[in-house]
mmCIF file of all heavy atoms in Angstrom:
data_model
loop_
_atom_site.group_PDB
_atom_site.id
_atom_site.type_symbol
_atom_site.label_atom_id
_atom_site.label_comp_id
_atom_site.label_asym_id
_atom_site.label_seq_id
_atom_site.Cartn_x
_atom_site.Cartn_y
_atom_site.Cartn_z
ATOM 1 N N PHE A 56 -126.161 102.500 -63.140
ATOM 2 C CA PHE A 56 -125.152 101.886 -62.280
ATOM 3 C C PHE A 56 -123.933 101.433 -63.178
ATOM 4 O O PHE A 56 -122.838 101.444 -62.688
ATOM 5 C CB PHE A 56 -125.631 100.630 -61.534
ATOM 6 C CG PHE A 56 -126.837 100.809 -60.676
ATOM 7 C CD1 PHE A 56 -127.648 99.691 -60.361
ATOM 8 C CD2 PHE A 56 -127.147 102.075 -60.117
ATOM 9 C CE1 PHE A 56 -128.791 99.821 -59.530
ATOM 10 C CE2 PHE A 56 -128.278 102.161 -59.270
ATOM 11 C CZ PHE A 56 -129.070 101.101 -58.997
ATOM 12 N N LEU A 57 -124.285 100.936 -64.318
ATOM 13 C CA LEU A 57 -123.217 100.297 -65.204
ATOM 14 C C LEU A 57 -122.756 101.100 -66.335
ATOM 15 O O LEU A 57 -122.315 100.534 -67.351
ATOM 16 C CB LEU A 57 -123.782 98.881 -65.621
ATOM 17 C CG LEU A 57 -124.215 97.999 -64.417
ATOM 18 C CD1 LEU A 57 -124.881 96.716 -64.882
ATOM 19 C CD2 LEU A 57 -123.037 97.618 -63.482
ATOM 20 N N ASP A 58 -122.942 102.411 -66.222
ATOM 21 C CA ASP A 58 -122.473 103.339 -67.286
ATOM 22 C C ASP A 58 -122.902 102.982 -68.716
ATOM 23 O O ASP A 58 -122.089 103.075 -69.657
ATOM 24 C CB ASP A 58 -120.880 103.406 -67.294
ATOM 25 C CG ASP A 58 -120.393 103.917 -65.929
ATOM 26 O OD1 ASP A 58 -121.035 104.792 -65.361
ATOM 27 O OD2 ASP A 58 -119.311 103.466 -65.468
ATOM 28 N N ASP A 59 -124.226 102.587 -68.807
ATOM 29 C CA ASP A 59 -124.740 102.323 -70.164
ATOM 30 C C ASP A 59 -124.094 101.228 -70.906
ATOM 31 O O ASP A 59 -124.159 101.194 -72.194
ATOM 32 C CB ASP A 59 -124.829 103.573 -71.022
ATOM 33 C CG ASP A 59 -126.065 104.438 -70.675
ATOM 34 O OD1 ASP A 59 -127.024 103.849 -70.147
ATOM 35 O OD2 ASP A 59 -126.013 105.659 -70.926
ATOM 36 N N ASP A 60 -123.305 100.341 -70.260
ATOM 37 C CA ASP A 60 -122.684 99.239 -70.984
ATOM 38 C C ASP A 60 -123.661 98.051 -71.079
ATOM 39 O O ASP A 60 -123.759 97.180 -70.153
ATOM 40 C CB ASP A 60 -121.401 98.794 -70.216
ATOM 41 C CG ASP A 60 -120.633 97.737 -71.011
ATOM 42 O OD1 ASP A 60 -121.166 97.236 -72.041
ATOM 43 O OD2 ASP A 60 -119.508 97.434 -70.613
ATOM 44 N N CYS A 61 -124.380 98.031 -72.158
ATOM 45 C CA CYS A 61 -125.416 96.974 -72.393
ATOM 46 C C CYS A 61 -124.767 95.617 -72.418
ATOM 47 O O CYS A 61 -125.399 94.565 -71.995
ATOM 48 C CB CYS A 61 -126.140 97.230 -73.669
ATOM 49 S SG CYS A 61 -126.672 98.948 -73.913
ATOM 50 N N SER A 62 -123.533 95.495 -72.920
ATOM 51 C CA SER A 62 -122.923 94.161 -73.168
ATOM 52 C C SER A 62 -122.582 93.375 -71.896
ATOM 53 O O SER A 62 -122.342 92.214 -71.944
ATOM 54 C CB SER A 62 -121.700 94.328 -74.018
ATOM 55 O OG SER A 62 -120.664 94.942 -73.265
ATOM 56 N N ILE A 63 -122.617 94.094 -70.757
ATOM 57 C CA ILE A 63 -122.316 93.328 -69.484
ATOM 58 C C ILE A 63 -123.406 92.237 -69.285
ATOM 59 O O ILE A 63 -123.115 91.138 -68.848
ATOM 60 C CB ILE A 63 -122.397 94.311 -68.262
ATOM 61 C CG1 ILE A 63 -121.222 95.285 -68.362
ATOM 62 C CG2 ILE A 63 -122.327 93.522 -66.972
ATOM 63 C CD1 ILE A 63 -121.102 96.270 -67.188
ATOM 64 N N CYS A 64 -124.630 92.555 -69.633
ATOM 65 C CA CYS A 64 -125.691 91.639 -69.459
ATOM 66 C C CYS A 64 -126.150 90.989 -70.790
ATOM 67 O O CYS A 64 -126.375 89.762 -70.856
ATOM 68 C CB CYS A 64 -126.942 92.258 -68.788
ATOM 69 S SG CYS A 64 -126.522 92.912 -67.182
ATOM 70 N N HIS A 65 -126.251 91.807 -71.821
ATOM 71 C CA HIS A 65 -126.684 91.339 -73.161
ATOM 72 C C HIS A 65 -125.407 91.021 -73.948
ATOM 73 O O HIS A 65 -125.046 91.686 -74.868
ATOM 74 C CB HIS A 65 -127.515 92.468 -73.841
ATOM 75 C CG HIS A 65 -128.702 92.841 -73.140
ATOM 76 N ND1 HIS A 65 -129.859 92.081 -73.145
ATOM 77 C CD2 HIS A 65 -129.035 93.986 -72.454
ATOM 78 C CE1 HIS A 65 -130.813 92.707 -72.418
ATOM 79 N NE2 HIS A 65 -130.334 93.830 -72.010
ATOM 80 N N HIS A 66 -124.813 89.933 -73.524
ATOM 81 C CA HIS A 66 -123.497 89.598 -74.142
ATOM 82 C C HIS A 66 -123.590 88.776 -75.402
ATOM 83 O O HIS A 66 -124.614 88.252 -75.761
ATOM 84 C CB HIS A 66 -122.571 88.941 -73.103
ATOM 85 C CG HIS A 66 -123.199 87.802 -72.424
ATOM 86 N ND1 HIS A 66 -122.943 87.426 -71.109
ATOM 87 C CD2 HIS A 66 -124.093 86.809 -72.849
ATOM 88 C CE1 HIS A 66 -123.606 86.371 -70.776
ATOM 89 N NE2 HIS A 66 -124.342 85.994 -71.769
ATOM 90 N N VAL A 67 -122.474 88.683 -76.073
ATOM 91 C CA VAL A 67 -122.367 87.854 -77.288
ATOM 92 C C VAL A 67 -121.118 86.997 -77.178
ATOM 93 O O VAL A 67 -120.044 87.453 -76.731
ATOM 94 C CB VAL A 67 -122.216 88.796 -78.573
ATOM 95 C CG1 VAL A 67 -122.018 87.975 -79.806
ATOM 96 C CG2 VAL A 67 -123.434 89.703 -78.727
ATOM 97 N N TYR A 68 -121.283 85.691 -77.531
ATOM 98 C CA TYR A 68 -120.186 84.784 -77.505
ATOM 99 C C TYR A 68 -119.986 84.252 -78.923
ATOM 100 O O TYR A 68 -120.919 84.018 -79.638
ATOM 101 C CB TYR A 68 -120.432 83.649 -76.544
ATOM 102 C CG TYR A 68 -120.188 83.916 -75.096
ATOM 103 C CD1 TYR A 68 -121.115 84.602 -74.337
ATOM 104 C CD2 TYR A 68 -119.057 83.510 -74.488
ATOM 105 C CE1 TYR A 68 -120.923 84.831 -73.031
ATOM 106 C CE2 TYR A 68 -118.814 83.699 -73.148
ATOM 107 C CZ TYR A 68 -119.745 84.397 -72.390
ATOM 108 O OH TYR A 68 -119.534 84.650 -71.064
ATOM 109 N N GLU A 69 -118.731 83.931 -79.207
ATOM 110 C CA GLU A 69 -118.450 83.290 -80.539
ATOM 111 C C GLU A 69 -117.464 82.163 -80.241
ATOM 112 O O GLU A 69 -116.391 82.400 -79.656
ATOM 113 C CB GLU A 69 -117.846 84.307 -81.543
ATOM 114 C CG GLU A 69 -118.732 84.493 -82.724
ATOM 115 C CD GLU A 69 -118.263 85.643 -83.601
ATOM 116 O OE1 GLU A 69 -117.051 85.645 -83.952
ATOM 117 O OE2 GLU A 69 -119.075 86.533 -83.872
ATOM 118 N N ASN A 70 -117.753 80.952 -80.588
ATOM 119 C CA ASN A 70 -116.959 79.755 -80.355
ATOM 120 C C ASN A 70 -116.574 79.720 -78.800
ATOM 121 O O ASN A 70 -115.390 79.424 -78.490
ATOM 122 C CB ASN A 70 -115.738 79.682 -81.141
ATOM 123 C CG ASN A 70 -116.034 79.840 -82.656
ATOM 124 O OD1 ASN A 70 -117.015 79.233 -83.084
ATOM 125 N ND2 ASN A 70 -115.314 80.579 -83.360
ATOM 126 N N GLY A 71 -117.550 80.019 -77.960
ATOM 127 C CA GLY A 71 -117.271 79.952 -76.501
ATOM 128 C C GLY A 71 -116.527 81.051 -75.929
ATOM 129 O O GLY A 71 -116.251 81.165 -74.753
ATOM 130 N N GLU A 72 -116.130 82.085 -76.827
ATOM 131 C CA GLU A 72 -115.343 83.267 -76.357
ATOM 132 C C GLU A 72 -116.289 84.535 -76.339
ATOM 133 O O GLU A 72 -116.939 84.778 -77.278
ATOM 134 C CB GLU A 72 -114.166 83.561 -77.302
ATOM 135 C CG GLU A 72 -113.186 82.383 -77.391
ATOM 136 C CD GLU A 72 -112.229 82.319 -76.228
ATOM 137 O OE1 GLU A 72 -111.964 83.362 -75.610
ATOM 138 O OE2 GLU A 72 -111.750 81.209 -75.845
#
Side-chain angles (χ1 to χ4, degrees):
F56 302 155
L57 305 173
D58 298 326
D59 278 337
D60 185 352
C61 314
S62 70
I63 294 182
C64 301
H65 299 286
H66 51 213
V67 175
Y68 278 81
E69 245 170 51
N70 307 320
E72 298 283 331

